[in-house]
Amino acid sequence: MQKFSFNRRLVIIIVCLIVSFALMTVSVAVRNKRSTPPLIQQFGNDIVGLTDRIVALPANGLSGSVSSISELLNTYQENQQLKKQVGELAQTKVRDQTLAKENKQLKQQIKLNDSLTDYSAISAAVITRTPSSWQNQVVINKGSSAGVVKNMPVMSGSGLVGRVAEVNKTNSKVELITDNNDSANRFAVQITTKSGKTVNGVLSGFNANSGQITMNNITTKAKISKGDKVVTSGLGGVTPKGLYVGQVAKASGDDYGLSTKLYITPATDLSDLNIVTVAVTKQ
Amino acid sequence: MYRLSKLRFGFPIGLLLMLFLDGSISQIFSTHLFRPSAIMVSHLVVLWLIAAVLFEDQYDIPIARWAAAAGAIFDLYYTGIFGVYVFIFPLAVYLTRLMVAYISPNFLSGLLIYFIDITMVEALGYLASRMVHLTSMAGSTFLVTTLGPTLALNLALFVVLYFPIRWVYNWLK
């Protein structure tokens, strides 16, 4: 009798293991291929997302009020610094408007409707974050009903922070660029060097220890120097052109000495996200 | 007994609350919890489940079933990879039931049991993620940067929350 129950337990454990593997494999495959998760999962996630807001909103509100009190302390200094910057900003803004207008007129002349730089923005608040040490994901409060589509780039502050990994009706998951998994989508970027040459490439990963984005396999002869700005190139279709990624921190030879490896300092603090912007390419 | 007590609704509500608090804590304290040198993952859900086993007495809460439900929500809503925590959470409950049969639960033995449970949850979660290539972290790196700090955080939370949670369970009974 004892033996029988032991065998039964073993069978249950093995069956559970097999089912677990099957489910994991299926969900990874679905995640990589399909544009949205299955309908049932989407529905479930929407309901859970709505319930989560009951907990997340007060919690985030509380944290917001605490941080605003601490921010109050260094407001005076900040204010003086910002006043100086505002003067310059107004000038840039006016020039920007003129250029945008001119750009539009020129586009009309050559009958070009939308180029790679055109995108509209959806702002979203971060509801929650995946409690996991390797999956760097956040859940945002906008989904397919607001026009979010899988693989759209997500920005925060002044720079790129990730891409939309899963879309439900009212919320979606954003995979941050700090996530290093195999299936993570890499962004196509370009660097304009000081001599005016453009170098194209693909971001290849994130170095957690130094907090820098890495970029491998650059075979160009152009000299890339520290401080060169890295922006998305718009190649590949989903990401608009000209989203700021960061600055080159170091250029060095790769492990085999054949190509150049770049270290890029991200433009935004990737560990502290509250409000993000989803960039929607105009099709 | 279980059907007539407040636990019937109180337990699932607490479970959901803890599940969402895990995410909110990770979001609010992300700068402090997710440092590259020490990653701390809060597992309040596991704390709530283990506390249920420790404090249930003769109430016979269907904890394993609720653990599977919490695992399913965790997988679908947080990670997007179904089939990991939906099995790990019930396994943690089962393991705790086994241990409670041998050790009478009190504060210190509870701490010990929780230590073993968190180690198991984190280690199995890591193995599963390694297998589907969600992470390429080396085993030794995992031990140092994730498991150690996570244990420290969760044991600290256990010490702080043990008596409040016991009070909540006694109130629900």
Side-chain angles (χ1 to χ4, degrees):
Chain A
M1 197 60 207
Q2 182 63 35
K3 194 140 199 250
F4 171 73
S5 80
F6 175 72
N7 276 341
R8 211 179 73 153
R9 201 175 292 162
L10 199 70
V11 169
I12 290 176
I13 289 173
I14 290 171
V15 167
C16 277
L17 267 179
I18 293 170
V19 172
S20 169
F21 279 130
L23 284 172
M24 263 154 43
T25 322
V26 166
S27 39
V28 169
V30 165
R31 189 182 138 99
N32 290 347
K33 282 186 188 122
R34 293 257 286 274
S35 55
T36 43
L39 205 66
I40 303 167
Q41 186 178 342
Q42 236 185 83
F43 184 65
N45 277 346
D46 282 326
I47 291 173
V48 175
L50 285 176
T51 345
D52 190 5
R53 275 168 221 199
I54 301 169
V55 178
L57 285 180
N60 290 344
L62 200 70
S63 116
S65 56
V66 168
S67 63
S68 55
I69 289 170
S70 66
E71 269 164 25
L72 200 65
L73 297 173
N74 49 28
T75 309
Y76 179 71
Q77 278 189 336
E78 213 175 66
N79 190 27
Q80 283 187 323
Q81 287 174 350
L82 287 174
K83 262 183 190 162
K84 281 179 200 160
Q85 284 187 14
V86 166
E88 293 167 29
L89 194 70
Q91 233 172 8
T92 324
K93 206 173 171 186
V94 171
R95 187 157 180 264
D96 211 43
Q97 274 173 353
T98 333
L99 285 176
K101 212 172 167 182
E102 191 185 283
N103 192 5
K104 207 174 165 187
Q105 285 169 346
L106 290 172
K107 270 184 192 169
Q108 264 174 3
Q109 281 201 346
I110 55 167
K111 296 190 177 66
L112 184 73
N113 289 331
D114 289 313
S115 62
L116 287 172
T117 41
D118 286 306
Y119 66 89
S120 55
I122 304 170
S123 353
V126 175
I127 306 176
T128 187
R129 187 186 167 113
T130 303
S132 157
S133 72
W134 34 85
Q135 278 190 296
N136 294 313
Q137 285 179 335
V138 291
V139 180
I140 59 171
N141 68 351
K142 291 281 163 67
S144 59
S145 56
V148 178
V149 177
K150 192 176 167 172
N151 283 334
M152 277 177 177
V154 178
M155 293 173 298
S156 171
S158 53
L160 189 75
V161 293
R163 63 156 193 126
V164 176
E166 185 190 305
V167 183
N168 304 305
K169 277 271 173 305
T170 56
N171 59 54
S172 32
K173 285 193 189 81
V174 174
E175 193 174 65
L176 305 181
I177 36 180
T178 50
D179 199 310
N180 259 334
N181 74 52
D182 284 3
S183 57
N185 190 4
R186 302 301 179 204
F187 288 95
V189 293
Q190 67 183 28
I191 305 157
T192 310
T193 61
K194 295 223 161 64
S195 56
K197 279 189 179 147
T198 306
V199 178
N200 276 296
V202 177
L203 299 182
S204 59
F206 187 79
N207 187 339
N209 289 323
S210 59
Q212 286 170 333
I213 305 167
T214 53
M215 191 173 162
N216 277 339
N217 302 327
I218 304 160
T219 51
T220 177
K221 291 279 188 304
K223 174 105 176 63
I224 300 166
S225 48
K226 191 182 166 185
D228 284 347
K229 291 198 166 50
V230 183
V231 294
T232 56
S233 64
L235 300 173
V238 205
T239 316
K241 188 178 180 173
L243 302 181
Y244 186 38
V245 178
Q247 281 187 340
V248 175
K250 198 174 83 184
S252 64
D254 75 345
D255 303 342
Y256 307 103
L258 294 172
S259 54
T260 317
K261 185 173 184 180
L262 289 186
Y263 294 89
I264 301 160
T265 314
T268 18
D269 182 9
L270 289 158
S271 57
D272 192 19
L273 302 171
N274 290 313
I275 304 288
V276 295
T277 314
V278 185
V280 183
T281 327
K282 282 177 193 157
Q283 299 290 333
Chain B
M1 284 276 277
Y2 170 67
R3 288 186 172 281
L4 295 173
S5 68
K6 276 183 278 186
L7 270 176
R8 199 178 165 199
F9 303 103
F11 175 70
I13 290 173
L15 190 67
L16 268 184
L17 196 71
M18 290 299 186
L19 191 68
F20 293 143
L21 270 182
D22 271 343
S24 287
I25 287 174
S26 305
Q27 160 63 16
I28 293 167
F29 299 107
S30 56
T31 19
H32 312 286
L33 294 180
F34 298 100
R35 284 187 193 149
S37 55
I39 301 162
M40 294 183 246
V41 186
S42 87
H43 283 298
L44 288 176
V45 174
V46 183
L47 180 59
W48 184 257
L49 290 169
I50 301 316
V53 181
L54 297 181
F55 304 138
E56 74 174 336
D57 292 338
Q58 70 279 48
Y59 279 85
D60 292 328
I61 313 169
I63 303 172
R65 260 173 271 165
W66 280 113
I73 295 177
F74 192 99
D75 280 348
L76 292 176
Y77 183 60
Y78 282 137
T79 66
I81 308 293
F82 190 69
V84 183
Y85 288 95
V86 73
F87 292 104
I88 293 178
F89 285 168
L91 191 65
V93 170
Y94 174 71
L95 197 70
T96 314
R97 283 235 160 101
L98 272 186
M99 285 188 281
V100 164
Y102 292 104
I103 318 163
S104 63
N106 59 38
F107 178 71
L108 279 178
S109 66
L111 197 67
L112 198 74
I113 290 170
Y114 193 55
F115 182 94
I116 297 169
D117 282 328
I118 290 293
T119 312
M120 199 229 25
V121 168
E122 272 294 314
L124 287 183
Y126 168 70
L127 283 180
S129 303
R130 251 325 263 277
M131 239 160 303
V132 291
H133 289 264
L134 274 177
T135 177
S136 49
M137 196 188 274
S140 53
T141 322
F142 162 74
L143 288 181
V144 176
T145 62
T146 302
L147 187 61
T150 301
L151 275 172
L153 174 76
N154 283 290
L155 291 181
L157 284 176
F158 182 92
V159 171
V160 174
L161 293 176
Y162 180 86
F163 292 104
I165 287 184
R166 190 174 71 173
W167 181 83
V168 169
Y169 272 103
N170 284 335
W171 178 72
L172 286 173
K173 274 171 193 171

